[in-house]
């Protein structure tokens, strides 16, 4: 979703924490100075990354997870709650996760995708929190991925951020379909297995964020008045039953969709799909048209999109998967190398040899790709990059591998 990605890029996809803080408006400290309305982040003279060059070596086996604790700088069991970053090996390639959101019980997170930060820049930073003024919201928690979440970057796709320079979320009135029968691609359900069309029309109650207004209809009766439901998603998951128009704090209740601040999940067997995007809200390049978002009549003007949502074509319903900013969508085109951020995949011998590898289907470390992590307790930090991927037999891409990650740690104060 180019529009969502470009707006969150203002907040997250920058090459240093100082620039990131400026994009967020900086904040709070009496030592901050301003020039021309731009907030200057506080200067940190003391290097708080006091633990340097710690290595985590992994010799992975298929379908096995490995975890690391940045506080003790040791490998740790993934079964407990003290891990900070998880390396989950598949059949050939891994996925990485933080102890946050839907991946764990901790309050960790990551500041950057490996495509959006470099080790060269991050090693210049002296304080991951910028003197405590870096907003907590920038630490991106792992979340569910479905039609409501942007699979390109892990953020939700039903609002635009900071369109008016006030750091608020503005609903884009995109229409979503939610089905209770994923075995069929029909967009009009039955009384027993309904399909709903819905829009997020607000994200606030007064100035308090996380209070979501849902407007929806049953596509079986599109001419009926749209229903409006207020969902308080500020205190954890709020489970919504669109059949009865009720909200519960219990996952054991009857529900189809649930909200938790920025995250959205679907119940088992429930599918979702984007039905339509309101005309005129975006350019053909996906850039938000600010004047459309300012329109006080937007709620009324987009009601027709809700009513006609059942005309959408569905080939497959989307369902929940877990996404992390540490697992961006790959870049590149076959048969050239494909970059997954932390590493690149070389499908041919020619592409492998071009970067000094010996075998087709090899993986090579992208040593300068990096991120900043927050620990599972929310009070320690680490910058991380992948140093090497070594093969037991470099001429055989099917041989055993050894992955080495490097961390500099800012311990809890």
């Amino acid at each position: 979703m180019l529009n969502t990605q470009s707006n969150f890029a203002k907040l997250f996809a920058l090459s240093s924490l100082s620039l990131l803080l400026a994009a967020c408006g900086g904040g709070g400290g009496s030592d901050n100075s301003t020039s021309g309305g731009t907030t200057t982040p506080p200067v940190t003279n003391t290097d708080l990354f006091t633990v340097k060059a710690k290595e985590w070596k992994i010799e992975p086996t298929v379908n096995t997870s490995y975890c690391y604790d940045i506080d003790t700088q040791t490998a740790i069991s993934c079964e407990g709650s003290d891990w900070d970053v998880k390396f989950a090996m598949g059949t050939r390639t891994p996925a990485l996760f933080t102890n946050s959101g839907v991946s764990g019980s901790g309050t960790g997170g990551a500041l950057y995708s490996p495509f959006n930060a470099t080790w060269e820049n991050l090693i210049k930073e002296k304080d991951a929190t910028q003197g405590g003024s870096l907003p907590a919201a920038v630490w991106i928690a792992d979340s569910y991925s479905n039609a409501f979440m942007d699979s390109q970057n892990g953020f939700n796709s039903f609002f635009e951020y900071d369109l008016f320079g006030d750091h608020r979320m503005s609903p884009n009135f995109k229409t979503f379909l939610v089905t209770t029968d994923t075995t069929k691609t029909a967009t009009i359900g039955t009384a027993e297995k309904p399909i709903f069309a819905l829009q997020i029309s607000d994200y606030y109650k007064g100035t308090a964020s996380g209070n979501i207004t849902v407007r929806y209809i049953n596509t079986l009766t599109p001419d009926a008045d749209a229903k409006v439901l207020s969902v308080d998603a500020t205190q954890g998951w709020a489970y919504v039953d669109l059949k009865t128009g009720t909200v519960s704090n219990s996952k054991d209740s009857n529900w189809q969709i649930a909200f938790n601040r920025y995250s959205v999940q679907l119940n088992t067997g429930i599918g979702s799909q984007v039905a339509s995007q309101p005309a005129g809200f975006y350019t053909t390049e996906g850039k938000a048209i600010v004047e459309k978002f300012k329109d006080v009549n937007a709620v009324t003007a987009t009601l027709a999109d809700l009513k006609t949502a059942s005309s959408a074509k569905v080939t497959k319903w989307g369902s929940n998967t877990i996404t992390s900013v540490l697992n961006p969508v790959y870049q590149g085109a076959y048969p050239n190398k494909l970059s997954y951020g932390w590493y690149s995949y070389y499908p041919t011998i020619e592409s492998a040899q071009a970067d000094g590898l010996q075998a087709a289907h090899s993986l090579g470390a992208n040593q300068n790709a990096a991120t900043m992590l927050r620990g599972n307790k929310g009070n320690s930090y680490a910058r991380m990059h992948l140093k090497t991927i070594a093969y037991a037999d470099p001429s055989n891409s099917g041989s055993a591998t050894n992955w080495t990650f490097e961390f500099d740690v800012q311990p809890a104060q």
Side-chain angles (χ1 to χ4, degrees):
M1 308 285 178
L2 292 176
N3 48 295
T4 303
Q5 190 172 17
S6 63
N7 276 278
F8 271 96
K10 300 176 188 175
L11 190 59
F12 302 107
L14 300 172
S15 61
S16 73
L17 293 180
S18 298
L19 289 176
L20 175 64
L21 185 63
C24 292
S30 59
D31 292 335
N32 290 359
S33 61
T34 58
S35 175
T38 300
T39 303
T40 302
V43 176
T44 303
N45 294 317
T46 302
D47 186 359
L48 300 183
F49 287 90
T50 55
V51 181
K52 306 283 191 182
K54 294 297 180 178
E55 293 187 345
W56 179 27
K57 294 182 180 295
I58 309 167
E59 297 181 9
T61 57
V62 172
N63 298 326
T64 305
S65 292
Y66 305 83
C67 288
Y68 188 79
D69 181 358
I70 64 173
D71 295 313
T72 61
Q73 299 92 53
T74 58
I76 189 172
S77 170
C78 298
E79 298 300 319
S81 59
D82 289 333
W83 62 274
D84 298 305
V85 59
K86 179 186 292 184
F87 176 102
M89 191 66 179
T91 55
R92 290 290 304 274
T93 59
L96 277 72
F97 303 94
T98 62
N99 193 341
S100 66
V102 300
S103 291
S105 60
T107 56
L111 200 56
Y112 305 103
S113 152
F115 284 124
N116 292 333
T118 66
W119 186 248
E120 179 183 10
N121 283 333
L122 291 191
I123 60 174
K124 299 173 185 176
E125 298 297 338
K126 296 182 178 181
D127 179 3
T129 73
Q130 291 293 293
S133 57
L134 193 70
V138 303
W139 297 97
I140 311 164
D142 292 359
S143 63
Y144 288 111
S145 177
N146 47 55
F148 293 85
M149 306 300 292
D150 188 340
S151 62
Q152 294 291 322
N153 56 31
F155 304 119
N156 59 51
S157 60
F158 52 81
F159 68 70
E160 291 292 329
Y161 173 75
D162 198 28
L163 287 180
F164 311 114
D166 55 4
H167 303 293
R168 287 176 65 88
M169 278 69 78
S170 301
N172 60 15
F173 297 97
K174 188 176 294 183
T175 304
F176 301 88
L177 288 170
V178 175
T179 185
T180 56
D181 185 3
T182 57
T183 65
K184 299 177 180 178
T185 57
T187 56
I188 298 176
T190 65
E192 294 76 23
K193 296 182 177 181
I195 297 173
F196 301 95
L198 64 85
Q199 297 168 333
I200 309 300
S201 60
D202 204 350
Y203 188 73
Y204 294 89
K205 183 178 181 180
T207 59
S209 64
N211 290 277
I212 298 167
T213 301
V214 180
R215 179 171 66 173
Y216 67 101
I217 62 169
N218 186 327
T219 60
L220 188 62
T221 55
D223 294 328
D225 291 339
K227 297 179 180 180
V228 177
L229 189 61
S230 296
V231 182
D232 183 348
T234 63
Q235 304 299 320
W237 287 104
Y239 301 93
V240 177
D241 185 354
L242 297 171
K243 293 181 180 179
T244 61
T246 57
V247 182
S248 173
N249 293 324
S250 173
K251 195 171 186 177
D252 295 330
S253 63
N254 294 318
W255 62 282
Q256 298 84 39
I257 188 170
F259 299 90
N260 184 355
R261 287 286 183 181
Y262 312 105
S263 297
V264 181
Q265 65 166 304
L266 303 171
N267 204 346
T268 303
I270 305 297
S272 62
Q273 184 64 258
V274 178
S276 65
Q277 184 169 279
F281 274 53
Y282 297 94
T283 66
T284 55
E285 292 78 22
K287 183 179 180 180
I289 300 174
V290 175
E291 291 303 317
K292 280 291 184 178
F293 284 84
K294 286 182 178 179
D295 186 1
V296 296
N297 296 315
V299 174
T300 302
T302 57
L303 180 59
D305 295 332
L306 197 67
K307 298 285 189 177
T308 60
S310 61
S311 62
K313 300 296 183 182
V314 175
T315 57
K316 183 180 180 181
W317 294 101
S319 58
N320 287 337
T321 57
I322 294 178
T323 186
S324 173
V325 71
L326 300 184
N327 296 316
V329 175
Y330 72 84
Q331 297 179 3
Y334 186 89
N336 300 314
K337 74 175 180 180
L338 307 177
S339 176
Y340 289 78
W342 303 110
Y343 60 90
S344 291
Y345 165 66
Y346 298 86
T348 66
I349 185 66
E350 292 80 12
S351 62
Q353 290 177 340
D355 278 1
L357 301 176
Q358 298 181 27
H361 307 297
S362 293
L363 303 177
N366 297 330
Q367 297 178 338
N368 203 31
T371 193
M372 194 75 77
L373 299 171
R374 181 168 69 173
N376 70 86
K377 296 181 179 65
N379 57 7
S380 58
Y381 306 88
R383 50 189 172 228
M384 176 184 88
H385 75 130
L386 176 62
K387 287 185 67 176
T388 60
I389 302 173
Y391 283 87
D393 178 359
S395 65
N396 178 8
S397 62
S399 65
T401 56
N402 185 306
W403 300 61
T404 301
F405 290 89
E406 182 179 21
F407 299 83
D408 288 346
V409 179
Q410 178 176 327
Q413 299 297 307

